[in-house]
Amino acid sequence: MQKISEFVVGLLFGMGLLLSGMADPAKVLGFLDLFGSWDPSLALVMGGAILVGFFAFTLAKKRTTSFLGGALHLPQANQIDRRLVIGSLLFGAGWGLAGFCPGPALVSLFAGQPKAAVFVVAMVAGMILFELADRYIHQPRARQVGAP
Amino acid sequence: MVIDWVNFTPWASLGGGLVLGLAAALFVLLNGRILGISGILGGLLLPRLGDIGWRISFLLGMAAAPTVFAWLAPADFLAAPRIEAGYALIVAAGLLVGLGTRYGSGCTSGHGVCGLSRLSPRSLVATLTFMGAGFAIVFVVRHLL
């Protein structure tokens, strides 16, 4: 049951990205071009997603297990630190350069787009770079990676 | 600011957003997980035993999405993505996105959708930061360079 649910959620999420326009980098850049000819569509994507998500997370916070009986893995981190801000700055810069964030890049890769495949390879390389830096530079520190 | 009415797709984008929210809702309520793509993918790089299967099932579902979407959607939703960046820029952007999302512990889905939905101040800071950086980079590239 868990496996089916995970698969269906992945399927829904991928289709949501395709329907919303998030998987079209030119549209994403049209949204990020606040000072040019601005396409506000993606504000509606976020608004719609958060509208539904808000009720779900409000309900989830009151529970100790998921409805399928498993553990609830809600993020515990709450500190706003340099890692969070610098990481988000780097991510936003990359997002603005090509118009891809991780989800849409994966969906476009699965749709057979060669440029998306190159993007995902570079993105995974960036993630590996992070794992190496985290292991060799930040090692003494407790790891707080994984959940947002 | 000039609104680009020609490319504005309010219904598709709102509908797509509701579907994304539904996916995030089902994931936390049924599976007890945060739907964050960079975390789901990044967790496969140094995998821990017992923490792999759910990531693979989710990604298989995502892999099926383009095919299922093509069956269901009307033809005018099936345009190929417009990727203007050249390969060098794609590689640079991919590296930044991979490094940045892991360093900042999340991306548009984990911080933007799930984090804001659960009213996390940490995710609000992350979302404002990456959106601000995105606006700034596009401003520099399109209007200054």
Side-chain angles (χ1 to χ4, degrees):
Chain A
M1 201 56 204
Q2 294 265 4
K3 289 270 159 284
I4 295 171
S5 166
E6 288 150 8
F7 180 87
V8 170
V9 167
L11 177 63
L12 271 178
F13 189 76
M15 293 202 294
L17 289 174
L18 290 166
L19 174 62
S20 67
M22 285 292 291
D24 181 5
K27 190 160 186 69
V28 172
L29 294 178
F31 170 73
L32 290 176
D33 192 7
L34 201 55
F35 303 96
S37 185
W38 187 53
D39 175 1
S41 306
L42 299 197
L44 291 169
V45 180
M46 292 300 281
I50 291 166
L51 185 72
V52 179
F54 172 73
F55 290 104
F57 280 96
T58 305
L59 178 58
K61 282 183 203 169
K62 293 180 185 150
R63 297 181 56 91
T64 49
T65 58
S66 76
F67 281 91
L68 292 181
L72 264 183
H73 306 269
L74 291 178
Q76 303 302 320
N78 55 15
Q79 68 279 40
I80 292 164
D81 53 14
R82 213 169 48 186
R83 288 171 76 109
L84 181 81
V85 173
I86 293 176
S88 298
L89 279 174
L90 295 177
F91 162 43
W95 191 34
L97 282 179
F100 269 136
C101 54
L106 274 183
V107 164
S108 301
L109 159 72
F110 294 137
Q113 295 293 326
K115 277 185 175 174
V118 173
F119 183 92
V120 170
V121 169
M123 179 172 81
V124 169
M127 289 177 167
I128 292 171
L129 206 62
F130 162 79
E131 297 291 350
L132 295 174
D134 195 49
R135 171 165 294 189
Y136 295 109
I137 301 170
H138 301 284
Q139 198 35 253
R141 212 155 160 352
R143 280 175 58 95
Q144 359 158 307
V145 187
Chain B
M1 182 196 294
V2 185
I3 304 280
D4 180 3
W5 295 110
V6 177
N7 289 307
F8 186 42
T9 52
W11 297 112
S13 290
L14 183 63
L18 293 171
V19 173
L20 294 173
L22 177 66
L26 291 174
F27 212 36
V28 71
L29 292 175
L30 296 180
N31 299 99
R33 304 269 182 199
I34 294 284
L35 201 170
I37 301 300
S38 57
I40 291 172
L41 187 61
L44 283 175
L45 299 179
L46 282 179
R48 284 171 302 160
L49 215 59
D51 191 43
I52 301 169
W54 68 274
R55 299 173 194 271
I56 301 290
S57 321
F58 176 89
L59 291 174
L60 286 175
M62 253 182 110
T67 311
V68 177
F69 187 75
W71 288 338
L72 298 177
D76 47 330
F77 281 104
L78 299 178
R82 297 162 294 163
I83 309 170
E84 290 155 7
Y87 278 101
L89 201 55
I90 290 276
V91 169
L95 281 169
L96 282 169
V97 168
L99 186 64
T101 51
R102 295 300 284 153
Y103 207 63
S105 306
C107 60
T108 340
S109 46
H111 280 310
V113 174
C114 296
L116 295 188
S117 291
R118 53 186 193 88
L119 308 178
S120 154
R122 187 173 139 82
S123 289
L124 178 64
V125 169
T127 305
L128 291 177
T129 306
F130 68 66
M131 296 210 33
F135 287 134
I137 286 287
V138 172
F139 177 72
V140 169
V141 169
R142 293 203 171 169
H143 304 290
L144 293 185
L145 293 184

